[in-house]
Amino acid sequence: MEVKSNYGSTKNSVENDNILTRLQTELKSIIFRVFFLILKDEEQSIAIQIFLQVISFFQYLTFIFHRQLYVLWKNQKVSYQFYKFFGYFMLTPYFEMLNFSSFASMMYALIGIILISIMLLLLIGYTNITKLNTSYTWPIYVLKQIFILFTTILYLPILDLLFQMLNCHYDDKNQLINVVFDTICWQGSHVIHAVVAILGIIIFTTITMTFNLLYFEPRYNHKDQLSKTSGRAKTLKCFIFLILEISFTLIDLIKFDYVAIYILMIGAFITFYQFHIEQPFNNVFIQKISSMYAALMLWSALMMCFSNYLENIIFHGTIYSWLVGIPLIIVAIYKKEKYLYDLLLMNINKIEDPNQIILLINYTQKLLSRYHTNQHFHIMLDALIEVHIKTCQKEDCVFRIKKQLNQRLLKLKDANISQRDYQIHLLIGEIYQGYIRRHQNNVRLRINYAFYLLDFLKQKQQSLNEFNQIELLSPSIDYEFTIFRYKRIIEDEMNISQNEALNGNLDVATEISFQNNMRQFQNKIERATLMHMDFWSQLQEDSPDLGKMNEIGSKINLAILQVEELWNRMQKMTQNLPKAMRLYAKFIIEVLQDKDFGEQLLDKSKQLQTQNNKMKNKQTISIFTSDEINFEPLPTLLISTMSSKFAQISTLNLSACNFFGYHKTELMNRKINLLIPQIYAKFHDKHIEMFFQSNDQQQIVKERLIYIKLKSGYIMPCYIYMKALSQFDEDVIIAAQFRTLRTFKGGCYLILDSDDAIESISSSCICYLFIDSKMISHRKIYFHELFTNYNRNDYLNKTGCVISLNLQSNIVQNSNYLQYYINDLEDQTQILFQIQITEISNQYQDQVVGYVIKLEKVINDQSQIFGPDVQQQLIVQNSTMSNFQFKYFAAKALYLGENQEEGNSARVDQTVIWEQSSRISEETQVEKKEKVEIVKIERINYAEGIRTLKLFDNRIQEIEDIRMSFTDSDEVQHSSVFQSNSDNPDEIEKGQKNNIFRNRKVLSSTINDQQRPKVIIYLSCIINILMVAVLTLSFTSYFLGLYLFDNIQNSLNLISYASLRNQESIQVVMNIQNLEMLKIGIWNFTETEAIAYEEEQRNELNKSIYGLAEANKKLMLNELYINEQIEELHSKSVVNVRISKSRFSDYDLIEATQQIISKALIIRDKPLYNLTLDDEDVAFITYNLHNGIIIEYRNETSQYSYGIRDLSEKNVKIFFIFMVVSACSFFILLIMIVILIIKINLIQEQILQLFMEIPEKTVKYLYNKSENFISNLQVGEEEELSSDFCDDEQQDEHKELSRTLKSKRKKKVFKNTNSSHRTQILIITFILCTFQGYFILSYFLNQVIYNNLRQQIPELNVTARSGSYYRFVDNCERQLFLNREEPILGKDAYSIVMNNIQLNYEVDSELHQEHAKNSEIVNEDYYDTFQSIFMLSPCETLEKEGYTTVEYCETFANGSISQGMAVAIARYFENIRYIMTIYDMFYGHPEANFSVVARGWGRFRNITNDSDNVTNYIYNLNNFKQPTESRIMQNKFIRAAFQFLLDQYLAALKYDIEVTQTQLLAVFIVFEVLIFFVYFIVWLPAEMKMTRDIWRTKGLILMIPLRVIQKIKMIKSFIGVLIHSQDQ
């Protein structure tokens, strides 16, 4: 038989959605669950709320008194103090006094707190997927407090701090500088900080706005602080603050201050409107606090605007007015109450805007809750009533039917409510109902109506149904959360409060919901059964696919969970559900193979059905919508309740047409009064209206006797059963079903009016009273004309009274029917009837409008009396009667017929769905039940429950089990009991647990024990270790890298300090030499010029001493270890210092420098006449700075360079070690993870392999059972509950199952196409490769920067010593001129000077060579700087640095400087070489002609005032043009150029390091976010999925019948091992 299902044919499942949609749905679900838990706790006190609002207002005032706007108040003295005071409530001012690094650290700390809050949210959301009602725990409390702080006193400080990272402007140099910290923006690490700040702003504002949007109580409760109309007002306020921060960051407030004022004004006005005009809060104090806040915002913005434009023009002292106005506004808002008279005086019938209705209802609720304390509110409520009475256009207004209202008032549970308040509540309900019909898509209106149903009418189910309908309107996220939350709340309350009795009835809304759930229940059972069939079909294949079986099994588990969830939901609605219970029981027995539980449900359903059959209300309507009415066998019609089609017949079935005698078109859209006798039709419409107003479900839930009018005009008694159904375009329609009245005596019915005139008669009156409808329509016929002795009072409400029909009356005699029904008219003068009179009353007018008379003809008693023998012969012997009946076998599509006894007739298994097509009397049901019980007693199976046991394998087993164990494996040789006991000591424990196979419930609880599998625990531990290892390695690698980079940068600073010390020490020598030469008289100055020159040299000497001391101090305080040589120079006495001509001493380099500084200070203060060549202080400096100390200076500078090179190599090795360690760790963890994933797959595969042990015939048997069930389910036939065939059939099935288990098993080769574990392995491998990629990338980034740095060290070294070296060469030359006998560098001064001239060219050549080598890796800015200094004109650059002017630079040395320092340095070298050439001509040649040798470059002066021509010649060399030019070039240009180059080079290297740091920081942040994503977004859901997969796969064992498990040893052994593993 082909089996089909229509389940899911019109609706796509969630699995078909794309991954983004599923991710969005899952994230929304997590947020909703967490906020559901957050809202369960009580809110803070009013005092805390006031404190938070005050602090928030002070923070808002930082916009009003902004650092660039407080001047607008035109009173800077006061406004500046306000700026400083309100700044203390923010975070940024506290960091203005610190550095940028502290500010960035605080920013990352705040972002870390934000991420922690997100982590808490995800953790709570994941751990409460199925536990929405868990107790209040500390994570929820912490998360709630964090969110509250985020949205109140931390919102503006955090937002301001993040925006300050982006607050940049252009300075005078056209550089983009941060406003607070003067840091260059969008360069280096600031790019990362700015990007992180932008992401932080997006995440933070999203979190805060979501919290504001969802964190509120939508129900009206004036005592609840969270009760308000919506959270959109606070969300809008946060958005306005965000706009203010963006505007103040992007706009130049000094130039565009008016734009800031306009934005402040607009934002304040919107906030004032939302909080004060709209008044969203229901709590009075919270609303007043919010109104004060909004009003003060608007007041502050207005006064700021006035101060800017009108201060000192119209107003004076605006800021003081602002201060005075603050307490006045607070008092005014606190005292003033807002009265909305216009809202109450509106004509409700003319309002079209639903928002006005919502405002009216909310304000009315506010008046109702507060009129006890405010007499004005009491008067306003009275005015509302009067306005409604005058404007109401309906006759049944709530204030016009006072009697009915009083009756309802008695039914209220809350006896404290007044009649007026209750009437107003009913008015609110009328308003809701009227406007919802016109505005069905207004979500807010319908949500408020759902709260009205829940709070006032106490109709939880109707409120729940309303929420379900609103959910289909695609509401916004805040309304969606409200729906989600209150659906859960209502369901939880219904679980506790609604536990109906077995015979309890459902209200209209619950009945509709129940019927919808019943249909879904059937569809889900059908879907689950089809999946079982697919599973067993897959198992029957020659090569079963375990992967596909596992996939089907997971779907089966999900389908069963859906069935159980829906079953539990239906049980919450009512316990009286025999039909659904029977369906569920058969599903459990036939499909799930749980016979014990299924039979319990069947027995319970039988009890419920029996109890329901004894009830008077037997009729049920099984339709759900109007489309299914044609499937109803009984006469059924639907009645509309819409205002335009009130009480009209919307549709009916053919049975109803035949029943009433009309054609269908004749009744469609006609009033139901057409089918009602005239006397009832007069007040029937009123009856329906009052039913809907009172919502009294007892009026329709019971079957009642009524009288209908047929098309022929006659009336007919029948039973009616009504039911309310839901429609899309209507609120409710009424379904009415009719059942004919069974009578065993002849009789007729008449309806009389209040005057006893006959209005309507039944058709039987023709044969009994000989009148028809035409006769009573032509004229009035009174009842006493037929029955002359009729007296109403004698028969009213009495039974058994007899009345006689007078056949001699004129009406009877004139009747044409008399001759047909009376044979002997002459002998019979009267006919006796039993009469029964019932009043017809209009309960709404308290009057009797007519009477119903039932007449039953009295039959002669003698003709009805039979003797006992005659009665015995008339009894039909049902026990011996037999008939030929058919039985249908769905599995074989075959009909079989046989003669069976009537009492034990076999029927088709139709226990799934049945429809009652006819009714039998209760007596028949009782008799049949008694017969069935007798048959059951007679057929007791005394062998049931008796088992044959035997001690085998040291445990008690059934004989059948032992036989099956031998058939499972014939090759297994069983040893003795003692040997088995010694070999398998655990068998005793397993035998003790063997009793779980006797009870399905115990087995199910054991297998479904949802403990985390050990393999999952191990895997989780390894993943946690992996995450800790990754975090540890990444943090250690990153921060160690920062530490190493800091060391490199500090080392570069040491090179700068060492170079500066060299330069300043050489400068000290130069200044001292200049003073010596001034004392000797070498310089050709006048007295005035000499004094000025001396002063200049002493000032330069002082500056050099100070620079030397600072550089030496920085080097001395440095604690960074470079290498052993540096440590030796700074800590050991390795510098040989000459104290005097005959005494030397050893010092370390720092001490030696201090000696130089002390001597230089002495010389600075020593008179000029004492500064001779023989002066000890002068000789100390000139000698030591030309010999031992300068040698160690050079050595130190070189060692710093070598140390940086060695540090670079060492650091690269460190990151290589990190890369190797991480790779090894990840590889080991990957192997462990892969092993565990494979083990998880093997566990699932082992469970699925158990199904391979089931014999093929057994599998086919299970498939047939599911197929038969689905066939009967789709056919929908009925089976009697008390049928005895069930026991026989179960015995037959038991025997058939036993036969299939004894069949020979065929070994099959299975395949497993499940690739989920391979996918998991690939994913984890990819993730670990990504993790390792971070360390590889970190290694290569560090390797590149360190290799580049190491390659540039030689160029840096030569650049650092070139400037000081060129000055040293000039000093040596001048020292040679002053005293040739003094050694230089420990050697002959002349040879050293000549060697220096050659080394000049080598140093310059080395500089250019190294720069050419580094041209591809050197920083572009430095490369351009080098080119501009050496190859282009450096004049502009030197002028910017303050060393010279462009005019002087371009004209100096014939413009050689303007041609580049390469040309200038070459000229410098030539000048020194030329002077040494002249020196060679003068030295040792007193006879030389000065004028001829000088060639006009100098003029001879007798400086020594003696005849020593050689000395005078040499002294005069200092005044030649070449030395003078060289001194000036060295002092003004070469020194400045190389100092500038060195600074730029160090800055370029540091910038390259910062770029690398920025790259590493970006990679580190992305990597940490990736770790966060992998753990919380990937791993946690994956862990849950794997755990559930194991649980689901393990639960597949329960698909196997218990008897099959008992017979298959391998399955029993596996379950025993499973139990043993769980107990450990």
Side-chain angles (χ1 to χ4, degrees), residues 1207-1221:
L1207 280 176
S1208 301
E1209 295 177 356
K1210 181 181 178 181
N1211 293 347
V1212 172
K1213 293 180 181 178
I1214 290 174
F1215 285 101
F1216 179 77
I1217 293 173
F1218 270 106
M1219 183 179 65
V1220 173
V1221 170

Side-chain angles (χ1 to χ4, degrees), residues 291 929 1014 1114 1262 1489:
S291 296
K929 180 178 179 182
K1014 288 187 177 180
K1114 294 289 182 61
L1262 296 174
N1489 190 338

Side-chain angles (χ1 to χ4, degrees), residues 1538-1574:
F1538 277 98
Q1539 185 65 41
F1540 177 73
L1541 274 180
L1542 180 61
D1543 293 340
Q1544 292 299 312
Y1545 203 176
L1546 292 174
L1549 291 175
K1550 292 180 180 178
Y1551 177 78
D1552 291 341
I1553 293 175
E1554 288 180 358
V1555 170
T1556 304
Q1557 284 181 315
T1558 303
Q1559 294 173 349
L1560 290 173
L1561 176 61
V1563 175
F1564 176 74
I1565 292 175
V1566 172
F1567 184 66
E1568 298 306 318
V1569 172
L1570 177 63
I1571 294 175
F1572 181 86
F1573 177 83
V1574 167

Side-chain angles (χ1 to χ4, degrees), residues 412-553:
L412 289 176
K413 295 181 180 179
D414 189 1
N416 297 323
I417 190 171
S418 64
Q419 179 178 352
R420 187 198 64 174
D421 293 353
Y422 186 68
Q423 289 175 337
I424 295 175
H425 280 295
L426 291 180
L427 172 61
I428 292 174
E430 287 185 357
I431 296 174
Y432 274 132
Q433 292 174 2
Y435 275 87
I436 286 177
R437 289 192 180 97
R438 286 186 280 172
H439 304 281
Q440 294 185 0
N441 296 328
N442 191 293
V443 176
R444 184 180 176 187
L445 182 65
R446 298 193 65 171
I447 287 178
N448 289 351
Y449 178 61
F451 289 144
Y452 173 80
L453 295 174
L454 179 63
D455 296 333
F456 180 70
L457 298 182
K458 310 298 181 183
Q459 296 176 355
K460 298 178 183 179
Q461 186 61 51
Q462 285 188 347
S463 178
L464 182 61
N465 294 338
E466 185 69 19
F467 279 122
N468 289 329
Q469 293 179 7
I470 300 171
E471 199 171 13
L472 302 177
L473 300 177
S474 300
S476 58
I477 186 171
D478 51 344
Y479 291 140
E480 190 175 357
F481 171 68
T482 299
I483 296 169
F484 168 86
R485 178 170 173 246
Y486 273 94
K487 283 176 63 178
R488 299 300 186 275
I489 291 175
I490 294 173
E491 289 175 355
D492 294 341
E493 291 178 355
M494 290 175 62
N495 292 346
I496 299 173
S497 62
Q498 184 170 341
N499 189 7
E500 303 178 38
L502 295 179
N503 57 351
N505 295 307
L506 304 177
D507 58 14
V508 176
T510 310
E511 175 67 18
I512 294 171
S513 178
F514 177 79
Q515 296 298 339
N516 292 332
N517 288 335
M518 182 62 192
R519 183 167 56 181
Q520 294 181 16
F521 187 60
Q522 178 182 345
N523 290 335
K524 291 184 182 298
I525 285 180
E526 181 180 349
R527 179 172 179 265
T529 306
L530 291 174
M531 290 180 181
H532 277 79
M533 292 175 60
D534 194 9
F535 183 86
W536 296 123
S537 176
Q538 181 66 32
L539 191 59
Q540 292 182 51
E541 294 183 0
D542 294 335
S543 296
D545 188 352
L546 299 184
K548 190 173 182 180
M549 290 172 58
N550 187 33
E551 181 182 356
I552 298 172

Side-chain angles (χ1 to χ4, degrees), residues 578-579 582-587 590 602 885-890 895 905-917 1268-1283 1285-1286 1289 1293:
K579 180 178 176 180
R582 187 166 185 170
L583 171 61
Y584 189 46
K586 295 298 292 184
F587 171 71
E590 301 293 337
L602 275 180
Q885 294 188 1
F886 287 93
K887 180 179 180 182
Y888 175 69
F889 289 88
Y895 288 92
S905 60
R907 299 195 177 192
V908 183
D909 185 2
Q910 304 151 1
T911 59
V912 179
I913 293 180
W914 70 93
E915 304 297 342
Q916 295 182 352
S917 59
N1268 291 339
F1269 176 80
I1270 199 67
S1271 300
N1272 295 326
L1273 179 63
Q1274 293 181 344
V1275 171
E1277 297 174 347
E1278 184 182 359
E1279 179 191 38
E1280 290 293 339
L1281 283 169
S1282 58
S1283 175
F1285 180 71
C1286 295
E1289 185 180 358
E1293 291 175 355

